[in-house]
Amino acid sequence: MREIKFEFWAGHTEKMITMKEAIEEWTLEFILRKSDTFKVRQYIGLKDKNGKEIYEGDIIDFWGALYKIVFNRGCFYMEDSTESDAVSWILDIKYHEISEVKGNIYENPNLLNND
């Protein structure tokens, strides 16, 4: 059974905050109402090869290619940035030891640019 954890991108301060920080600094009701400012990121239950927890919206290096972690149809997937909006790989638990978190779509959106 995987651990259920969340963190938030607080757009107005441009920083990632934990659930504990969110509860201490703001009420959850405020966060949920400000959905354009706060983005909820769910822990996928895996860590990269360096022990860093992987969250929805993270950008990972997987066999030398960059992928965005997305949640779709009840599963976490890796989305290839070179394919418009097609989900290309299902995240397979046995391959997590070769992946590395490089950033996330909020703090490092330029990682996925193909320009």
Side-chain angles (χ1 to χ4, degrees):
M1 187 173 202
R2 78 176 172 86
E3 184 178 11
I4 306 295
K5 294 169 72 170
F6 296 92
E7 67 179 19
F8 299 86
W9 169 249
H12 66 289
T13 62
E14 295 191 353
K15 75 175 207 175
M16 209 61 72
I17 60 173
T18 65
M19 178 68 88
K20 183 179 183 224
E21 290 170 322
I23 292 170
E24 289 172 355
E25 295 180 31
W26 302 280
T27 67
L28 284 178
E29 181 180 351
F30 174 76
I31 289 170
L32 295 175
R33 285 188 189 174
K34 295 290 222 169
S35 59
D36 59 328
T37 303
F38 288 93
K39 304 297 181 191
V40 179
R41 294 174 13 104
Q42 185 174 358
Y43 175 51
I44 71 169
L46 298 175
K47 295 178 181 177
D48 72 0
K49 67 182 182 181
N50 301 315
K52 183 171 176 53
E53 293 177 342
I54 303 173
Y55 283 81
E56 179 181 6
D58 277 345
I59 300 167
I60 64 169
D61 182 323
F62 185 76
W63 285 354
L66 293 180
Y67 293 89
K68 176 174 65 171
I69 301 298
V70 296
F71 186 77
N72 189 10
R73 298 182 183 180
C75 298
F76 289 103
Y77 292 87
M78 296 186 304
E79 182 178 86
D80 185 339
S81 63
T82 62
E83 299 177 19
S84 59
D85 58 349
V87 174
S88 59
W89 293 85
I90 186 165
L91 190 59
D92 191 333
I93 195 165
K94 67 184 176 185
Y95 292 120
H96 76 280
E97 67 274 358
I98 61 170
S99 64
E100 181 177 19
V101 174
K102 293 294 189 180
N104 64 65
I105 60 173
Y106 303 107
E107 296 172 305
N108 317 97
N110 59 325
L111 286 176
L112 293 177
N113 290 345
N114 293 322
D115 301 333

